[in-house]
Amino acid sequence: MKYEILYPEAFPVVECYLERGESIKAESDAMIAMSPTIDVEGRMDGGILRGLARKFLSGESLFFQELIARRGAGKVIFGQSKIGGILDVELDGSYGLTIQKDGFLASTQGIDIDTKMQNLTRGLLSGEGFFVLNATGRGTIFIASYGVIHPINLDNGEEVIIDNGHLVAWPDYMDYKIERASNGWISSLTSGEGVVCRFRGPGIVLIQTRNPNNFEQDLERRIKSLIG
């Protein structure tokens, strides 16, 4: 499948060119425009149990959109609802990609999206919850973010500390630890950071340049000030 990410500097969209019989799976309501040769259907990928797991455990949509070029070749344009970037990631089948909540946008044929359970400590402290998404298979997956997506490439044994609100996705073979941002809890909380995630390479961690939690808190504060 041929595709192009348009306007990557701000408010990007993905333009896909589907040959007859090709399809692409996207998050609910991601389609912006499509050729009349394309059909759009709601699918509960992997059956009802996996669909319910995505909805109630990881907070994702119950249904995916499946865009299928049934009547001939055509074009699909899709995008995300957030103010942020889109990045394409190629998976070769040798590893999976762990994706934080709201990070999945779309994927080509051959990619399977499932729900992955984190351990107790990570679920409580990471900011991602107990469940995240895990993408496996061979193909292309499109990741969405709040702000621009920035890759951090770690060599073997190299470490990086990342604010938990800025995580987007990382290879499922990478391990990470949750820890305080400072030496003590009081210092960690008063610094505005709280807890952070320490990743060890090798691997590439994808982060977003803005924190959606901060945006939501600021918006809530402004609304409260307006209504008194």
Short mmCIF file of all heavy atoms in Angstrom, two decimals, residues 108-171:
data_model
loop_
_atom_site.label_atom_id
_atom_site.label_comp_id
_atom_site.label_asym_id
_atom_site.label_seq_id
_atom_site.Cartn_x
_atom_site.Cartn_y
_atom_site.Cartn_z
N THR A 108 -1.99 -1.10 8.51
CA THR A 108 -2.23 -1.82 7.27
C THR A 108 -2.60 -3.27 7.58
O THR A 108 -2.57 -3.71 8.73
CB THR A 108 -0.97 -1.79 6.38
OG1 THR A 108 0.12 -2.40 7.09
CG2 THR A 108 -0.59 -0.35 6.04
N GLN A 109 -2.92 -4.01 6.52
CA GLN A 109 -3.21 -5.44 6.68
C GLN A 109 -1.98 -6.15 7.26
O GLN A 109 -0.85 -5.80 6.96
CB GLN A 109 -3.57 -6.05 5.33
CG GLN A 109 -4.87 -5.52 4.74
CD GLN A 109 -5.07 -5.99 3.31
OE1 GLN A 109 -4.21 -5.84 2.47
NE2 GLN A 109 -6.24 -6.55 3.04
N GLY A 110 -2.22 -7.13 8.10
CA GLY A 110 -1.12 -7.89 8.69
C GLY A 110 -0.75 -7.46 10.09
O GLY A 110 0.09 -8.09 10.73
N ILE A 111 -1.37 -6.36 10.59
CA ILE A 111 -1.10 -5.88 11.95
C ILE A 111 -2.26 -6.26 12.85
O ILE A 111 -3.42 -6.01 12.54
CB ILE A 111 -0.89 -4.35 11.98
CG1 ILE A 111 0.34 -3.96 11.17
CG2 ILE A 111 -0.77 -3.86 13.41
CD1 ILE A 111 1.65 -4.44 11.74
N ASP A 112 -1.95 -6.86 14.00
CA ASP A 112 -2.96 -7.26 14.97
C ASP A 112 -2.84 -6.37 16.20
O ASP A 112 -1.74 -6.14 16.71
CB ASP A 112 -2.74 -8.73 15.37
CG ASP A 112 -3.83 -9.24 16.29
OD1 ASP A 112 -5.01 -9.12 15.95
OD2 ASP A 112 -3.48 -9.75 17.38
N ILE A 113 -3.97 -5.84 16.66
CA ILE A 113 -4.00 -4.95 17.82
C ILE A 113 -4.67 -5.68 18.98
O ILE A 113 -5.81 -6.13 18.87
CB ILE A 113 -4.77 -3.65 17.53
CG1 ILE A 113 -4.20 -2.96 16.29
CG2 ILE A 113 -4.72 -2.72 18.74
CD1 ILE A 113 -2.79 -2.48 16.43
N ASP A 114 -3.95 -5.79 20.10
CA ASP A 114 -4.47 -6.50 21.26
C ASP A 114 -4.24 -5.64 22.51
O ASP A 114 -3.52 -4.65 22.49
CB ASP A 114 -3.78 -7.85 21.42
CG ASP A 114 -4.64 -8.85 22.19
OD1 ASP A 114 -5.70 -8.46 22.70
OD2 ASP A 114 -4.24 -10.02 22.28
N THR A 115 -4.86 -6.05 23.62
CA THR A 115 -4.71 -5.37 24.90
C THR A 115 -3.68 -6.10 25.74
O THR A 115 -3.71 -7.32 25.85
CB THR A 115 -6.06 -5.31 25.64
OG1 THR A 115 -7.04 -4.72 24.79
CG2 THR A 115 -5.94 -4.49 26.90
N LYS A 116 -2.76 -5.34 26.34
CA LYS A 116 -1.68 -5.91 27.13
C LYS A 116 -1.78 -5.40 28.56
O LYS A 116 -1.96 -4.20 28.79
CB LYS A 116 -0.34 -5.53 26.51
CG LYS A 116 0.88 -6.04 27.25
CD LYS A 116 2.14 -5.59 26.53
CE LYS A 116 3.40 -6.05 27.24
NZ LYS A 116 4.62 -5.60 26.54
N MET A 117 -1.65 -6.30 29.53
CA MET A 117 -1.75 -5.92 30.93
C MET A 117 -0.36 -5.60 31.50
O MET A 117 0.60 -6.33 31.29
CB MET A 117 -2.37 -7.06 31.75
CG MET A 117 -2.60 -6.71 33.21
SD MET A 117 -3.47 -8.03 34.10
CE MET A 117 -3.61 -7.30 35.72
N GLN A 118 -0.28 -4.47 32.20
CA GLN A 118 0.95 -4.10 32.89
C GLN A 118 0.91 -4.64 34.32
O GLN A 118 -0.15 -5.00 34.83
CB GLN A 118 1.12 -2.58 32.92
CG GLN A 118 1.13 -1.93 31.55
CD GLN A 118 1.65 -0.52 31.64
OE1 GLN A 118 2.83 -0.28 31.42
NE2 GLN A 118 0.79 0.42 31.94
N ASN A 119 2.07 -4.65 34.96
CA ASN A 119 2.07 -5.10 36.35
C ASN A 119 1.50 -4.02 37.27
O ASN A 119 1.23 -2.90 36.85
CB ASN A 119 3.48 -5.54 36.79
CG ASN A 119 4.48 -4.40 36.80
OD1 ASN A 119 4.15 -3.26 37.12
ND2 ASN A 119 5.72 -4.71 36.44
N LEU A 120 1.31 -4.36 38.54
CA LEU A 120 0.61 -3.48 39.49
C LEU A 120 1.29 -2.13 39.62
O LEU A 120 0.64 -1.08 39.55
CB LEU A 120 0.52 -4.17 40.85
CG LEU A 120 -0.19 -3.38 41.96
CD1 LEU A 120 -1.63 -3.11 41.58
CD2 LEU A 120 -0.11 -4.13 43.28
N THR A 121 2.61 -2.13 39.81
CA THR A 121 3.32 -0.87 40.02
C THR A 121 3.22 0.03 38.80
O THR A 121 2.94 1.22 38.90
CB THR A 121 4.80 -1.14 40.34
OG1 THR A 121 4.88 -1.98 41.50
CG2 THR A 121 5.54 0.15 40.61
N ARG A 122 3.44 -0.54 37.63
CA ARG A 122 3.38 0.27 36.41
C ARG A 122 1.97 0.78 36.17
O ARG A 122 1.77 1.91 35.73
CB ARG A 122 3.85 -0.56 35.21
CG ARG A 122 5.34 -0.83 35.22
CD ARG A 122 5.73 -1.72 34.07
NE ARG A 122 7.16 -1.99 34.06
CZ ARG A 122 7.75 -2.81 33.23
NH1 ARG A 122 7.03 -3.46 32.32
NH2 ARG A 122 9.05 -2.99 33.27
N GLY A 123 0.98 -0.06 36.43
CA GLY A 123 -0.40 0.36 36.21
C GLY A 123 -0.81 1.51 37.10
O GLY A 123 -1.51 2.43 36.68
N LEU A 124 -0.35 1.49 38.35
CA LEU A 124 -0.71 2.54 39.30
C LEU A 124 0.04 3.84 39.05
O LEU A 124 -0.51 4.93 39.19
CB LEU A 124 -0.43 2.06 40.73
CG LEU A 124 -1.41 1.03 41.32
CD1 LEU A 124 -0.89 0.53 42.65
CD2 LEU A 124 -2.80 1.65 41.49
N LEU A 125 1.31 3.74 38.68
CA LEU A 125 2.16 4.91 38.67
C LEU A 125 2.53 5.45 37.29
O LEU A 125 2.95 6.59 37.18
CB LEU A 125 3.45 4.62 39.44
CG LEU A 125 3.29 4.24 40.92
CD1 LEU A 125 4.65 3.94 41.53
CD2 LEU A 125 2.60 5.35 41.69
N SER A 126 2.41 4.64 36.24
CA SER A 126 2.93 5.07 34.95
C SER A 126 2.09 6.14 34.28
O SER A 126 2.54 6.82 33.36
CB SER A 126 3.06 3.87 34.00
OG SER A 126 1.77 3.39 33.64
N GLY A 127 0.82 6.29 34.70
CA GLY A 127 -0.07 7.21 34.02
C GLY A 127 -0.77 6.59 32.83
O GLY A 127 -1.65 7.20 32.22
N GLU A 128 -0.38 5.36 32.46
CA GLU A 128 -1.00 4.70 31.32
C GLU A 128 -2.12 3.75 31.73
O GLU A 128 -2.84 3.26 30.88
CB GLU A 128 0.07 3.88 30.56
CG GLU A 128 1.32 4.66 30.18
CD GLU A 128 1.02 5.84 29.30
OE1 GLU A 128 0.01 5.78 28.57
OE2 GLU A 128 1.77 6.82 29.32
N GLY A 129 -2.27 3.50 33.03
CA GLY A 129 -3.27 2.56 33.48
C GLY A 129 -2.72 1.14 33.48
O GLY A 129 -1.57 0.89 33.13
N PHE A 130 -3.57 0.19 33.87
CA PHE A 130 -3.13 -1.20 33.95
C PHE A 130 -3.04 -1.86 32.58
O PHE A 130 -2.38 -2.87 32.42
CB PHE A 130 -4.10 -2.00 34.83
CG PHE A 130 -4.00 -1.66 36.29
CD1 PHE A 130 -4.99 -0.94 36.91
CD2 PHE A 130 -2.90 -2.05 37.04
CE1 PHE A 130 -4.91 -0.61 38.25
CE2 PHE A 130 -2.80 -1.73 38.37
CZ PHE A 130 -3.80 -1.01 38.99
N PHE A 131 -3.72 -1.30 31.58
CA PHE A 131 -3.76 -1.93 30.27
C PHE A 131 -3.32 -0.93 29.19
O PHE A 131 -3.71 0.23 29.20
CB PHE A 131 -5.17 -2.44 29.95
CG PHE A 131 -5.63 -3.52 30.87
CD1 PHE A 131 -6.28 -3.21 32.06
CD2 PHE A 131 -5.41 -4.85 30.57
CE1 PHE A 131 -6.71 -4.20 32.92
CE2 PHE A 131 -5.83 -5.85 31.43
CZ PHE A 131 -6.48 -5.52 32.61
N VAL A 132 -2.50 -1.41 28.27
CA VAL A 132 -2.06 -0.65 27.11
C VAL A 132 -2.32 -1.51 25.87
O VAL A 132 -2.72 -2.67 25.98
CB VAL A 132 -0.56 -0.28 27.21
CG1 VAL A 132 -0.33 0.74 28.30
CG2 VAL A 132 0.29 -1.53 27.45
N LEU A 133 -2.10 -0.95 24.70
CA LEU A 133 -2.27 -1.70 23.46
C LEU A 133 -0.94 -2.30 23.02
O LEU A 133 0.12 -1.72 23.27
CB LEU A 133 -2.83 -0.81 22.35
CG LEU A 133 -4.23 -0.25 22.55
CD1 LEU A 133 -4.64 0.58 21.34
CD2 LEU A 133 -5.25 -1.37 22.78
N ASN A 134 -1.01 -3.44 22.35
CA ASN A 134 0.18 -4.07 21.80
C ASN A 134 -0.08 -4.43 20.35
O ASN A 134 -1.03 -5.17 20.05
CB ASN A 134 0.57 -5.31 22.60
CG ASN A 134 2.00 -5.73 22.33
OD1 ASN A 134 2.92 -4.93 22.41
ND2 ASN A 134 2.22 -7.01 22.04
N ALA A 135 0.72 -3.89 19.44
CA ALA A 135 0.58 -4.16 18.01
C ALA A 135 1.64 -5.17 17.59
O ALA A 135 2.83 -4.99 17.88
CB ALA A 135 0.74 -2.87 17.21
N THR A 136 1.21 -6.22 16.90
CA THR A 136 2.14 -7.26 16.43
C THR A 136 1.83 -7.57 14.97
O THR A 136 0.78 -7.21 14.44
CB THR A 136 2.00 -8.54 17.27
OG1 THR A 136 0.63 -8.98 17.25
CG2 THR A 136 2.43 -8.30 18.72
N GLY A 137 2.77 -8.28 14.33
CA GLY A 137 2.57 -8.68 12.94
C GLY A 137 3.54 -7.98 12.02
O GLY A 137 4.56 -7.41 12.43
N ARG A 138 3.22 -8.01 10.71
CA ARG A 138 4.06 -7.40 9.69
C ARG A 138 3.23 -6.36 8.95
O ARG A 138 2.15 -6.66 8.44
CB ARG A 138 4.58 -8.45 8.71
CG ARG A 138 5.48 -9.51 9.35
CD ARG A 138 5.84 -10.59 8.35
NE ARG A 138 6.59 -10.05 7.22
CZ ARG A 138 7.92 -9.98 7.19
NH1 ARG A 138 8.64 -10.42 8.21
NH2 ARG A 138 8.54 -9.50 6.13
N GLY A 139 3.75 -5.14 8.90
CA GLY A 139 3.04 -4.08 8.19
C GLY A 139 3.39 -2.72 8.78
O GLY A 139 4.38 -2.56 9.50
N THR A 140 2.55 -1.74 8.47
CA THR A 140 2.77 -0.37 8.91
C THR A 140 1.70 0.03 9.91
O THR A 140 0.52 -0.25 9.71
CB THR A 140 2.73 0.61 7.71
OG1 THR A 140 3.66 0.19 6.72
CG2 THR A 140 3.07 2.03 8.15
N ILE A 141 2.12 0.67 10.99
CA ILE A 141 1.18 1.19 11.97
C ILE A 141 1.40 2.70 12.08
O ILE A 141 2.53 3.18 12.04
CB ILE A 141 1.35 0.48 13.33
CG1 ILE A 141 0.31 1.00 14.34
CG2 ILE A 141 2.74 0.63 13.89
CD1 ILE A 141 0.20 0.15 15.58
N PHE A 142 0.30 3.44 12.19
CA PHE A 142 0.36 4.89 12.29
C PHE A 142 0.05 5.29 13.73
O PHE A 142 -1.01 4.94 14.26
CB PHE A 142 -0.63 5.54 11.32
CG PHE A 142 -0.32 5.23 9.87
CD1 PHE A 142 -0.93 4.16 9.24
CD2 PHE A 142 0.58 6.01 9.16
CE1 PHE A 142 -0.67 3.86 7.92
CE2 PHE A 142 0.86 5.71 7.82
CZ PHE A 142 0.24 4.64 7.20
N ILE A 143 0.99 6.02 14.33
CA ILE A 143 0.89 6.43 15.72
C ILE A 143 0.52 7.91 15.79
O ILE A 143 1.06 8.73 15.03
CB ILE A 143 2.23 6.20 16.45
CG1 ILE A 143 2.67 4.73 16.32
CG2 ILE A 143 2.12 6.58 17.92
CD1 ILE A 143 1.72 3.75 16.94
N ALA A 144 -0.41 8.25 16.69
CA ALA A 144 -0.83 9.63 16.87
C ALA A 144 -0.36 10.15 18.23
O ALA A 144 -0.23 9.39 19.19
CB ALA A 144 -2.35 9.74 16.76
N SER A 145 -0.12 11.45 18.32
CA SER A 145 0.39 12.04 19.55
C SER A 145 -0.26 13.39 19.81
O SER A 145 -0.96 13.95 18.96
CB SER A 145 1.91 12.23 19.47
OG SER A 145 2.21 13.25 18.53
N TYR A 146 0.00 13.91 21.00
CA TYR A 146 -0.34 15.29 21.32
C TYR A 146 0.96 16.07 21.26
O TYR A 146 1.87 15.86 22.06
CB TYR A 146 -0.98 15.38 22.71
CG TYR A 146 -1.35 16.79 23.11
CD1 TYR A 146 -2.16 17.57 22.30
CD2 TYR A 146 -0.89 17.34 24.30
CE1 TYR A 146 -2.51 18.86 22.66
CE2 TYR A 146 -1.22 18.63 24.67
CZ TYR A 146 -2.03 19.39 23.84
OH TYR A 146 -2.36 20.66 24.19
N GLY A 147 1.09 16.96 20.30
CA GLY A 147 2.38 17.55 19.99
C GLY A 147 3.10 16.69 18.96
O GLY A 147 2.52 15.76 18.38
N VAL A 148 4.35 16.97 18.72
CA VAL A 148 5.15 16.24 17.74
C VAL A 148 5.72 14.97 18.36
O VAL A 148 6.04 14.94 19.55
CB VAL A 148 6.29 17.13 17.21
CG1 VAL A 148 7.16 16.37 16.21
CG2 VAL A 148 5.74 18.39 16.56
N ILE A 149 5.85 13.91 17.57
CA ILE A 149 6.47 12.68 18.04
C ILE A 149 7.99 12.77 17.84
O ILE A 149 8.47 13.10 16.76
CB ILE A 149 5.92 11.46 17.28
CG1 ILE A 149 4.42 11.30 17.54
CG2 ILE A 149 6.66 10.19 17.71
CD1 ILE A 149 3.79 10.17 16.78
N HIS A 150 8.72 12.48 18.92
CA HIS A 150 10.18 12.53 18.88
C HIS A 150 10.74 11.16 19.27
O HIS A 150 10.42 10.64 20.35
CB HIS A 150 10.70 13.60 19.85
CG HIS A 150 12.19 13.62 19.97
ND1 HIS A 150 13.02 14.05 18.95
CD2 HIS A 150 13.02 13.24 20.98
CE1 HIS A 150 14.28 13.96 19.33
NE2 HIS A 150 14.31 13.46 20.56
N PRO A 151 11.57 10.55 18.42
CA PRO A 151 12.17 9.25 18.77
C PRO A 151 13.44 9.42 19.59
O PRO A 151 14.29 10.26 19.28
CB PRO A 151 12.47 8.63 17.40
CG PRO A 151 12.72 9.82 16.51
CD PRO A 151 11.88 10.95 17.03
N ILE A 152 13.59 8.61 20.63
CA ILE A 152 14.82 8.57 21.43
C ILE A 152 15.45 7.20 21.21
O ILE A 152 14.90 6.18 21.63
CB ILE A 152 14.54 8.81 22.91
CG1 ILE A 152 13.93 10.21 23.13
CG2 ILE A 152 15.82 8.66 23.73
CD1 ILE A 152 13.59 10.52 24.57
N ASN A 153 16.57 7.18 20.52
CA ASN A 153 17.25 5.93 20.15
C ASN A 153 18.30 5.61 21.21
O ASN A 153 19.26 6.36 21.39
CB ASN A 153 17.90 6.09 18.77
CG ASN A 153 18.32 4.75 18.18
OD1 ASN A 153 18.36 3.74 18.88
ND2 ASN A 153 18.61 4.74 16.91
N LEU A 154 18.13 4.48 21.89
CA LEU A 154 19.04 4.07 22.95
C LEU A 154 19.92 2.91 22.49
O LEU A 154 19.42 1.92 21.96
CB LEU A 154 18.26 3.65 24.20
CG LEU A 154 17.36 4.71 24.84
CD1 LEU A 154 16.60 4.09 26.02
CD2 LEU A 154 18.15 5.92 25.28
N ASP A 155 21.22 3.06 22.70
CA ASP A 155 22.15 1.95 22.44
C ASP A 155 22.06 0.93 23.57
O ASP A 155 21.41 1.17 24.59
CB ASP A 155 23.58 2.47 22.32
CG ASP A 155 23.77 3.35 21.09
OD1 ASP A 155 23.08 3.11 20.08
OD2 ASP A 155 24.60 4.29 21.15
N ASN A 156 22.72 -0.19 23.38
CA ASN A 156 22.71 -1.25 24.38
C ASN A 156 23.23 -0.74 25.72
O ASN A 156 24.35 -0.23 25.81
CB ASN A 156 23.56 -2.43 23.90
CG ASN A 156 23.39 -3.65 24.78
OD1 ASN A 156 22.35 -3.84 25.40
ND2 ASN A 156 24.42 -4.48 24.84
N GLY A 157 22.40 -0.84 26.77
CA GLY A 157 22.78 -0.41 28.10
C GLY A 157 22.56 1.07 28.37
O GLY A 157 22.65 1.50 29.53
N GLU A 158 22.28 1.84 27.35
CA GLU A 158 22.04 3.28 27.55
C GLU A 158 20.66 3.49 28.17
O GLU A 158 19.71 2.78 27.84
CB GLU A 158 22.14 4.00 26.21
CG GLU A 158 22.04 5.51 26.31
CD GLU A 158 22.16 6.20 24.97
OE1 GLU A 158 22.23 5.48 23.95
OE2 GLU A 158 22.18 7.45 24.94
N GLU A 159 20.55 4.48 29.05
CA GLU A 159 19.30 4.74 29.75
C GLU A 159 18.80 6.16 29.48
O GLU A 159 19.58 7.06 29.18
CB GLU A 159 19.47 4.54 31.26
CG GLU A 159 19.73 3.11 31.67
CD GLU A 159 19.77 2.94 33.18
OE1 GLU A 159 19.98 3.95 33.88
OE2 GLU A 159 19.59 1.80 33.64
N VAL A 160 17.50 6.32 29.63
CA VAL A 160 16.88 7.64 29.55
C VAL A 160 15.71 7.68 30.52
O VAL A 160 15.05 6.66 30.75
CB VAL A 160 16.41 7.97 28.11
CG1 VAL A 160 15.25 7.06 27.68
CG2 VAL A 160 15.99 9.43 27.99
N ILE A 161 15.48 8.83 31.12
CA ILE A 161 14.36 9.03 32.04
C ILE A 161 13.33 9.90 31.35
O ILE A 161 13.66 10.99 30.85
CB ILE A 161 14.84 9.67 33.36
CG1 ILE A 161 15.81 8.72 34.07
CG2 ILE A 161 13.66 10.00 34.25
CD1 ILE A 161 16.48 9.33 35.26
N ILE A 162 12.08 9.45 31.30
CA ILE A 162 11.02 10.12 30.55
C ILE A 162 9.84 10.40 31.47
O ILE A 162 9.40 9.53 32.21
CB ILE A 162 10.56 9.26 29.35
CG1 ILE A 162 11.75 8.98 28.41
CG2 ILE A 162 9.42 9.94 28.59
CD1 ILE A 162 11.43 8.00 27.31
N ASP A 163 9.34 11.61 31.40
CA ASP A 163 8.11 11.96 32.11
C ASP A 163 6.98 11.07 31.59
O ASP A 163 6.79 10.93 30.38
CB ASP A 163 7.78 13.44 31.89
CG ASP A 163 6.47 13.83 32.51
OD1 ASP A 163 6.45 14.14 33.71
OD2 ASP A 163 5.45 13.82 31.78
N ASN A 164 6.23 10.46 32.50
CA ASN A 164 5.25 9.45 32.08
C ASN A 164 4.15 10.01 31.18
O ASN A 164 3.57 9.29 30.38
CB ASN A 164 4.65 8.72 33.29
CG ASN A 164 4.01 9.67 34.28
OD1 ASN A 164 3.97 10.88 34.07
ND2 ASN A 164 3.50 9.13 35.38
N GLY A 165 3.83 11.31 31.29
CA GLY A 165 2.80 11.89 30.45
C GLY A 165 3.22 12.11 29.01
O GLY A 165 2.39 12.46 28.17
N HIS A 166 4.51 11.91 28.72
CA HIS A 166 5.02 12.15 27.37
C HIS A 166 5.29 10.85 26.60
O HIS A 166 5.74 10.91 25.45
CB HIS A 166 6.30 12.98 27.43
CG HIS A 166 6.05 14.41 27.83
ND1 HIS A 166 5.88 15.42 26.90
CD2 HIS A 166 5.91 14.99 29.04
CE1 HIS A 166 5.67 16.56 27.53
NE2 HIS A 166 5.68 16.33 28.83
N LEU A 167 5.01 9.70 27.20
CA LEU A 167 5.22 8.43 26.50
C LEU A 167 4.17 8.22 25.42
O LEU A 167 2.99 8.53 25.60
CB LEU A 167 5.15 7.26 27.49
CG LEU A 167 6.39 6.97 28.31
CD1 LEU A 167 6.08 5.91 29.36
CD2 LEU A 167 7.52 6.49 27.41
N VAL A 168 4.60 7.67 24.28
CA VAL A 168 3.68 7.32 23.19
C VAL A 168 3.75 5.83 22.88
O VAL A 168 2.75 5.12 22.92
CB VAL A 168 3.97 8.13 21.91
CG1 VAL A 168 3.03 7.71 20.78
CG2 VAL A 168 3.80 9.63 22.17
N ALA A 169 4.94 5.32 22.56
CA ALA A 169 5.07 3.91 22.18
C ALA A 169 6.52 3.47 22.34
O ALA A 169 7.44 4.29 22.29
CB ALA A 169 4.61 3.69 20.74
N TRP A 170 6.70 2.14 22.48
CA TRP A 170 8.04 1.58 22.62
C TRP A 170 8.00 0.10 22.27
O TRP A 170 6.94 -0.55 22.38
CB TRP A 170 8.57 1.78 24.05
CG TRP A 170 7.71 1.19 25.14
CD1 TRP A 170 7.84 -0.04 25.72
CD2 TRP A 170 6.58 1.81 25.77
NE1 TRP A 170 6.87 -0.23 26.66
CE2 TRP A 170 6.08 0.89 26.73
CE3 TRP A 170 5.93 3.05 25.62
CZ2 TRP A 170 4.96 1.18 27.51
CZ3 TRP A 170 4.82 3.33 26.41
CH2 TRP A 170 4.36 2.39 27.35
N PRO A 171 9.10 -0.49 21.82
CA PRO A 171 9.12 -1.92 21.49
C PRO A 171 8.80 -2.76 22.73
O PRO A 171 9.26 -2.43 23.84
CB PRO A 171 10.56 -2.16 21.01
CG PRO A 171 11.06 -0.82 20.62
CD PRO A 171 10.39 0.16 21.51
#
